[in-house]
């Protein structure tokens, strides 16, 4: 293993002094956006697995140290240590930082057991120097989603502090993480809305020769959007009686392809 020498350290300190990382000093309303809320986990208790995600909508890193997270009732917590949100990136704040007991979430800041996210209607408010930077007031079901074992997820096309006020821009997360709950903590959310043309059928193998049809039929799907799409819950069918609901997570990356087939064994399906 290569050792980190005194010369390396000196050069590193020199570079940091010469090229300091700029952190945005003046934080304005809308600079931070609440993008995902896990208020009701299923694989662990609420006391161990609540968390929420924050996005930095600016071109500079923001340090959340000194900001307050609160609701409109009595819950309030001041972020006591450095919490850098990189430009255009996400952090996760949660009540438990132990991935072995919190459902498998990598939490960037632990606010502990004195701050709660209610399962029905509640608010998450971020303030700085008395100014509201962002807030989400969810209603427990009439407009906002009300899942169990899945996060409330803001559509990635709606990443601003006004659009996230509208429960119609949120949906129930579908991507399975960690121990089995659903969400995308710390990374970009999956789209809430799939429009006609977002997925395109691009290739069909209906009559293989090297193997039987029963072993080697497949087709290919392309994601024509700028966001990943999860096909879980979608139905593939024909105009006769054939129909199948995709029962597990199937992520189609943005601008990429997936293959769906009748046989996943490459030794017998023709090598697909």
């Amino acid at each position: 293993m290569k050792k980190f020498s005194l010369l390396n350290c000196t050069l590193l300190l020199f570079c940091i002094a010469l090229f300091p990382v700029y952190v945005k000093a003046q934080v304005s309303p809308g600079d931070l956006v609440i993008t995902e809320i896990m208020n009701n986990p299923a694989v662990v208790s609420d006391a161990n697995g609540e968390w929420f995600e924050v996005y930095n909508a600016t071109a500079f890193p923001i340090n959340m140290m000194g900001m307050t997270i609160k609701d409109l009732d009595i819950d309030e917590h001041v972020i006591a240590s450095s919490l850098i949100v990189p430009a255009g990136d996400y952090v996760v704040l949660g009540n438990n930082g132990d991935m072995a007991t919190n459902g498998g979430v990598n939490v960037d800041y632990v606010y502990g057991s004195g701050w709660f996210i209610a399962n029905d209607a509640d608010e998450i408010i971020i303030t700085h120097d008395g100014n509201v930077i962002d807030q989400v007031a969810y209603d427990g079901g009439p407009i906002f989603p009300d899942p169990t074992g899945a996060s409330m997820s803001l559509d990635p096309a709606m990443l601003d502090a006004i659009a996230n006020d509208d429960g119609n821009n949120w949906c129930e997360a579908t991507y399975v993480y960690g121990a089995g709950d659903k969400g995308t903590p710390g990374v970009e959310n999956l789209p809430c809305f799939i429009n006609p043309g977002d997925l395109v059928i691009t290739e069909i193998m209906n009559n293989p020769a090297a193997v039987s049809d029963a072993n080697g039929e497949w087709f290919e799907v392309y994601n024509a959007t700028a966001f990943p799409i999860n096909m879980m819950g979608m139905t593939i069918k024909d105009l006769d009686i054939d129909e199948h609901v995709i029962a597990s997570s199937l992520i189609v990356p943005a601008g990429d392809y997936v293959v769906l087939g009748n046989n996943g064994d490459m030794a017998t399906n023709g090598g697909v």
Side-chain angles (χ1 to χ4, degrees), residues 6-251:
L6 181 60
L7 177 60
N8 297 140
C9 184
T10 302
L11 289 172
L12 177 62
L13 292 174
F14 173 77
C15 289
I16 291 173
L18 191 60
F19 305 107
V21 176
Y22 176 78
V23 177
K24 195 172 190 291
Q26 184 61 45
V27 182
S28 303
D31 285 353
L32 296 174
V33 181
I34 298 161
T35 51
E36 194 169 2
I37 301 169
M38 173 57 85
N39 62 325
N40 193 15
V43 297
V44 295
S45 67
D46 291 5
N48 282 316
E50 292 181 350
W51 52 267
F52 68 97
E53 177 187 81
V54 174
Y55 171 72
N56 179 353
T58 78
F60 302 100
I62 292 175
N63 194 345
M64 292 185 69
M65 184 170 68
M67 295 188 186
T68 298
I69 54 175
K70 58 186 289 188
D71 62 11
L72 292 176
D73 196 13
I74 62 172
D75 292 341
E76 185 169 311
H77 174 87
V78 177
I79 297 173
S81 57
S82 181
L83 177 61
I84 303 293
V85 193
D89 209 346
Y90 303 81
V91 293
V92 175
L93 299 87
N95 59 3
N96 178 14
D98 184 354
M99 293 182 69
T101 60
N102 73 3
V105 184
N106 185 11
V107 172
D108 298 294
Y109 180 83
V110 178
Y111 51 74
S113 59
W115 198 82
F116 306 93
I117 311 175
N119 290 347
D120 46 17
D122 203 357
E123 310 83 29
I124 297 177
I125 305 168
I126 302 171
T127 67
H128 179 58
D129 291 339
N131 298 313
V132 174
I133 304 303
D134 190 27
Q135 64 179 354
V136 172
Y138 59 91
D139 58 9
I143 300 177
F144 279 79
D146 186 26
T148 298
S151 68
M152 291 182 279
S153 177
L154 180 67
D155 188 90
M158 301 292 176
L159 285 182
D160 68 70
I162 296 175
N164 74 346
D165 294 337
D166 185 352
N168 292 301
N169 293 329
W170 295 71
C171 60
E172 181 174 333
T174 60
Y175 183 77
V176 177
Y177 72 87
D181 279 334
K182 296 174 183 176
T184 55
V187 298
E188 184 178 65
N189 296 340
L190 297 176
C192 291
F193 314 106
I194 310 299
N195 299 308
D198 285 352
L199 295 175
V200 182
I201 300 166
T202 50
E203 194 170 359
I204 301 170
M205 173 56 82
N206 64 321
N207 191 19
V211 295
S212 67
D213 291 4
N215 281 318
E217 292 181 349
W218 53 266
F219 68 97
E220 178 186 81
V221 174
Y222 172 71
N223 179 354
T225 78
F227 303 103
I229 293 176
N230 193 347
M231 291 186 68
M232 185 172 71
M234 295 186 185
T235 299
I236 55 175
K237 59 185 291 186
D238 62 13
L239 293 177
D240 196 11
I241 61 172
D242 292 340
E243 186 169 310
H244 173 83
V245 177
I246 299 173
S248 57
S249 183
L250 177 60
I251 304 296

